Amino acid sequence: MDLIAFVTDWGHSSYYVSVCKSVIKKINKNADIIDITHSAGHFNIKKYASLIFRASRDFEEGTVFLCVVDPTVGSPRKPIALKTSKNNFYFVGPDNGLFTFVIEEYGVEESVELADKRFFYKTDYSSTFHGRDIFAPVAAYISKGITIDHFGPKTEKLTTFDMQKPVIEDNKVICDYLYSDDFGNIETNLSSNYLENLDLSKKVTVEINGTKKVARIVKNYAEVKKGELLLHVDSSGFYEISANQSNAAHQFNITDDFEGKIKIYLEL
């Protein structure tokens, strides 16, 4: 259980990530820390919730996930740790919706509020750096085999955000926009098994943010011309809207703060 997967929105230009790793090593010198990402933008809980879930599926059973995307740090939101019913994963971080997808996919066997200061890095902990003073040390103790019931009282309910479950209306599928990556690929919550046997010879109309554009249904980027839009199943098993060697998010005028729905018309 020495493996800790670490994700934040802090970037790499500050010392924050290194300090948290140092705190972990002080508690568990054998901890193996893998960085998921620290540079996928700031404050976007939904995006990071998606990234955490997608990454988690390739980690071994029992992995501890230290997740600090916490724009309301210091507010009444609770610091928590949870253990999942599937895969015996542990997630440590703020109760602000960051664990929405993992809760839905894996279920929760147990969850607690982090309240016992004996397991904090500092009892007079910072009001703005819970990553160092609360979350990192708790993750380290879990990686050493300390069960989460030691850290505080059980939580009655965890915070999750609402999602647009994929639905079919007439000739279109309506799904949720999750995020766009550095390539401008538009990620959805439409899984590959939701739309089975899509005809790869067809085209679809995609509507996002008030803009409609035609995309080809293909298996990979190179099957369309440079700059052309495509709809395909990505490596995580979800439908993605992309543009070959170009930026699909720009074509739909999507900015980092966009929150909306995606409509895919199955017939032109």
Side-chain angles (χ1 to χ4, degrees):
M1 199 189 292
D2 289 329
L3 182 59
I4 297 176
F6 190 18
V7 58
T8 76
D9 64 344
W10 297 337
H12 289 285
S13 61
S14 68
Y15 62 89
Y16 306 137
V17 171
S18 62
V19 165
C20 287
K21 290 181 179 181
S22 179
V23 168
I24 290 169
K25 287 290 190 178
K26 284 183 177 181
I27 297 167
N28 182 3
K29 65 180 181 180
N30 296 318
D32 182 9
I33 307 169
I34 296 178
D35 296 295
I36 295 176
T37 184
H38 303 286
S39 303
H42 300 298
F43 313 128
N44 193 329
I45 293 171
K46 190 175 187 179
K47 179 176 184 177
Y48 279 94
S50 305
L51 294 172
I52 291 165
F53 165 63
R54 293 185 180 208
S56 70
R57 297 188 299 173
D58 292 312
F59 279 81
E60 64 183 32
E61 183 173 346
T63 297
V64 181
F65 292 86
L66 171 57
C67 309
V68 193
V69 180
D70 198 10
T72 58
V73 60
S75 75
R77 71 94 187 94
K78 295 178 180 178
I80 61 168
L82 67 89
K83 181 182 180 181
T84 63
S85 301
K86 296 180 184 177
N87 298 334
N88 294 315
F89 286 150
Y90 296 87
F91 291 88
V92 179
D95 182 29
N96 60 6
L98 193 58
F99 303 128
T100 295
F101 295 107
V102 297
I103 290 171
E104 181 180 75
E105 178 68 17
Y106 304 130
V108 178
E109 179 178 308
E110 184 179 6
S111 62
V112 299
E113 180 180 357
L114 306 181
D116 192 333
K117 294 182 180 180
R118 292 178 299 171
F119 297 99
F120 292 1
Y121 182 56
K122 296 180 178 181
T123 55
D124 58 338
Y125 57 90
S126 166
S127 62
T128 59
F129 202 178
H130 289 186
R132 177 194 63 193
D133 294 345
I134 300 177
F135 299 131
V138 167
Y141 283 117
I142 294 174
S143 74
K144 290 186 70 173
I146 304 297
T147 55
I148 65 173
D149 59 298
H150 285 80
F151 302 120
K154 291 184 178 181
T155 56
E156 297 299 323
K157 186 179 180 180
L158 297 176
T159 300
T160 57
F161 51 75
D162 293 330
M163 292 180 293
Q164 168 74 60
K165 299 288 187 181
V167 296
I168 296 178
E169 293 182 357
D170 299 324
N171 71 327
K172 65 180 178 290
V173 178
I174 302 173
C175 57
D176 209 3
Y177 167 83
L178 298 181
Y179 67 94
S180 56
D181 64 17
D182 287 346
F183 290 98
N185 299 319
I186 298 169
E187 309 298 338
T188 79
N189 67 333
L190 184 62
S191 66
S192 59
N193 57 13
Y194 193 87
L195 290 179
E196 296 182 353
N197 302 316
L198 269 184
D199 189 340
L200 294 178
S201 67
K202 297 291 186 181
K203 295 181 179 180
V204 294
T205 297
V206 178
E207 181 180 356
I208 312 174
N209 203 20
T211 299
K212 287 185 178 181
K213 289 185 176 289
V214 174
R216 283 184 56 196
I217 305 171
V218 296
K219 289 185 176 181
N220 61 66
Y221 308 104
E223 292 183 52
V224 302
K225 296 177 181 178
K226 185 176 180 179
E228 188 176 354
L229 284 172
L230 59 111
L231 176 70
H232 76 120
V233 178
D234 70 6
S235 60
S236 296
F238 293 87
Y239 279 96
E240 172 186 88
I241 299 133
S242 304
N244 183 22
Q245 299 179 60
S246 186
N247 191 305
H250 288 173
Q251 293 194 33
F252 287 95
N253 301 310
I254 292 176
T255 58
D256 288 342
D257 59 351
F258 173 72
E259 294 185 9
K261 310 306 174 190
I262 295 174
K263 297 178 182 179
I264 301 171
Y265 298 84
L266 301 177
E267 297 176 6
L268 290 176

